[in-house]
Amino acid sequence: MKIAIVCYPTFGGSGVVATELGIALADRGHEVHFVTYRQPVRLELLNNKIHFHEVHVPEYPLFQYQPYELALSSKLVDTIKLYGIELLHVHYAIPHAYAGYMAKKMLEEENIHVPMITTLHGTDITLVGKHPFYKPAVTFSINNSDVVTSVSASLKSQTLEIFDIKNQIEVIPNFIDKSKYSSSFTDCQRSLMAEDDEKIITHISNFRKVKRIPDVVRIFHKIQEKIPAKLIMVGEGPEKEGAEKLCEELGIADRVIFLGNSNEIDRILCFSDLFLLPSESESFGLAALEAMMNKVPVISSNAGGIPEVNENGVTGFLSEVGNITEMAQNALKILSDEKVLEAFKIRALKSAEKFDILNVLPLYEEVYKKAYQSRLNKSYS
Ligand code: GMT
């Protein structure tokens, strides 16, 4: 099948999921066309099965805001026509579902029918999408998608609560490619990061407010009072500077390493003992799943879809948002005993394997088939 994928190309869950999905689809013989404003960060290889089409938005002084949706929908129309694309899969409702719908309508004028699948990822619903300035357009785009999927059951129920949705929403969880981990590093050079007796605790995110970055620092502060430890902070975002200041104020700046964005997530997780995710809101928590696949237990909040990934007492522990004392205590329960740590590591990996791409990809292919079939029915009616 020829599939166009629209996503954000940046570091961030939805872009990562879209890119990995596209790569896996291409491996299964589909022809995949990414349409976005920059080559997605995890998309290194372009070949005859994986194409990238850049959306350009020409600057014009009259516009205070450059119309990205317009450029995206025009690019979609051109790409779909030029390559005979059969299906459009947009990740993150804003503004992708809206632009995708416009492209669909323009193509229908020329009797070209392309079904659109919209995957909801989280903040497109729980944070940005529900804002009154966007809500009508988001509701419209969801209701006018041929198929809507959400990355967790929690996100599905939040979507149904917030919006007046007439469409079905299918839950297809995020996934991870287990085969990429079987050949993982034998030497992850842990000694470059910490002393042998120090535990390594990691946080990876886009450092936005919902991630509760100060909680990450404060949990670590409590942990390192009891055991030798280092904190590795991976990612860039608005909360990073404040976090660096907080580390200085708490006198732990020498034990916290800020690495910025990284393409070596697996290597970092390879030498990590624990992952922290105290988010205010999280539709799934892909970063937690990546940690678990690298045998790293997770200390997290119980927000949104996190409990669908991190099982309390099994792969880590869950606490109410903001309960940093309990989170630190739980972290110490795991880290203070090597046997306990090892047991959590093994269970984290086992649980992550449920989300292997081999189990999840067929669910997307099923949805594609259904949408494509309905397109055929429409073109003949
Ligand atoms: O975490 C973010 O803020 C980035 C955001 C995104 O769209 O890139 O992540 C959302 O989508 C991820 C992939 O489906 C989920 O794993 C994250 O939980 C979700 N983030 C939130 O809901 C805050």
Side-chain angles (χ1 to χ4, degrees):
M1 194 173 250
K2 293 184 179 185
I3 303 159
I5 293 185
V6 177
C7 64
Y8 283 106
T10 48
F11 288 93
S14 65
V16 169
V17 169
T19 310
E20 299 286 351
L21 176 63
I23 295 170
L25 287 165
D27 285 347
R28 296 264 282 222
H30 298 281
E31 185 177 305
V32 179
H33 295 253
F34 287 93
V35 185
T36 178
Y37 58 83
R38 203 185 311 133
Q39 183 160 328
V41 283
R42 290 220 188 164
L43 188 67
E44 277 141 27
L45 210 68
L46 298 176
N47 54 41
N48 64 341
K49 290 278 176 216
I50 303 182
H51 305 250
F52 162 59
H53 310 279
E54 190 171 343
V55 180
H56 293 280
V57 188
E59 295 269 325
Y60 186 66
L62 177 69
F63 301 146
Q64 188 176 351
Y65 308 104
Q66 308 303 319
Y68 179 65
E69 295 88 313
L70 226 59
L72 174 59
S73 51
S74 297
K75 187 76 187 177
L76 281 173
V77 168
D78 290 346
T79 310
I80 287 169
K81 280 164 63 177
L82 192 61
Y83 293 91
I85 303 287
E86 295 158 300
L87 189 128
L88 172 61
H89 189 170
V90 302
H91 289 260
Y92 209 87
I94 305 171
H96 300 152
Y98 193 73
Y101 174 80
M102 289 314 296
K104 242 176 87 94
K105 284 290 149 193
M106 285 186 261
L107 289 160
E108 278 171 19
E109 297 277 298
E110 298 181 49
N111 211 21
I112 300 171
H113 298 271
V114 179
M116 177 171 78
I117 285 98
T118 298
T119 292
L120 310 174
H121 277 274
T123 43
D124 47 351
I125 295 299
T126 55
L127 211 68
V128 199
K130 72 176 185 192
H131 192 284
F133 293 171
Y134 295 126
K135 201 172 170 183
V138 174
T139 311
F140 176 85
S141 318
I142 296 175
N143 282 334
N144 284 282
S145 300
D146 295 276
V147 177
V148 183
T149 75
S150 109
V151 298
S152 65
S154 153
L155 181 60
K156 174 179 173 174
S157 38
Q158 278 183 293
T159 309
L160 295 174
E161 259 167 49
I162 299 169
F163 301 91
D164 183 14
I165 299 301
K166 311 266 187 281
N167 235 338
Q168 295 277 359
I169 300 180
E170 304 208 19
V171 177
I172 303 187
N174 284 334
F175 54 82
I176 202 145
D177 187 348
K178 188 181 151 196
S179 68
K180 289 192 180 156
Y181 294 84
S182 40
S183 60
S184 62
F185 312 94
T186 41
D187 176 14
C188 49
Q189 295 182 300
R190 188 186 198 280
S191 55
L192 294 179
M193 285 294 166
E195 302 297 327
D196 284 352
D197 67 336
E198 283 177 322
K199 291 286 180 263
I200 300 184
I201 295 155
T202 302
H203 171 79
I204 304 172
S205 77
N206 50 25
F207 285 63
R208 297 210 191 106
K209 243 191 159 54
V210 293
K211 304 291 173 183
R212 294 186 69 102
I213 301 298
D215 284 9
V216 174
V217 174
R218 290 186 192 282
I219 295 165
F220 173 73
H221 179 240
K222 287 178 186 293
I223 296 172
Q224 59 80 50
E225 283 176 336
K226 303 283 183 203
I227 57 168
K230 283 255 163 66
L231 173 64
I232 301 182
M233 300 284 266
V234 185
E236 292 289 345
E239 296 283 296
K240 188 177 160 198
E241 212 182 301
E244 285 169 324
K245 279 201 195 115
L246 183 59
C247 291
E248 273 164 34
E249 278 163 36
L250 294 171
I252 53 172
D254 60 331
R255 267 150 281 164
V256 184
I257 304 161
F258 287 87
L259 287 183
N261 284 331
S262 173
N263 269 325
E264 291 197 300
I265 296 298
D266 296 332
R267 185 183 202 131
I268 296 162
L269 288 168
C270 166
F271 51 59
S272 301
D273 296 296
L274 195 75
F275 189 79
L276 299 181
L277 192 68
S279 308
E280 180 92 43
S281 142
E282 199 75 65
S283 67
F284 183 89
L286 185 65
L289 179 59
E290 289 188 321
M292 284 160 54
M293 197 53 133
N294 282 283
K295 284 182 91 177
V296 185
V298 177
I299 293 295
S300 67
S301 70
N302 58 7
I306 300 180
E308 294 170 51
V309 182
N310 185 23
E311 293 170 59
N312 196 35
V314 179
T315 60
F317 286 105
L318 300 159
S319 300
E320 292 296 324
V321 173
N323 192 345
I324 56 168
T325 306
E326 189 181 279
M327 291 186 202
Q329 282 164 354
N330 286 337
L332 287 165
K333 263 189 225 164
I334 298 178
L335 293 174
S336 309
D337 183 328
E338 285 303 324
K339 278 198 188 133
V340 174
L341 175 59
E342 193 50 32
F344 270 93
K345 279 177 179 252
I346 290 167
R347 290 195 300 259
L349 171 61
K350 192 158 185 296
S351 200
E353 287 173 349
K354 288 189 293 203
F355 297 94
D356 183 28
I357 192 152
L358 289 179
N359 300 326
V360 179
L361 194 68
L363 304 178
Y364 275 115
E365 287 184 308
E366 197 49 45
V367 151
Y368 289 172
K369 254 193 245 157
K370 206 167 86 184
Y372 191 66
Q373 198 54 47
S374 76
R375 172 201 95 134
L376 290 182
N377 296 343
K378 268 181 205 152
S379 3
Y380 294 131
S381 61

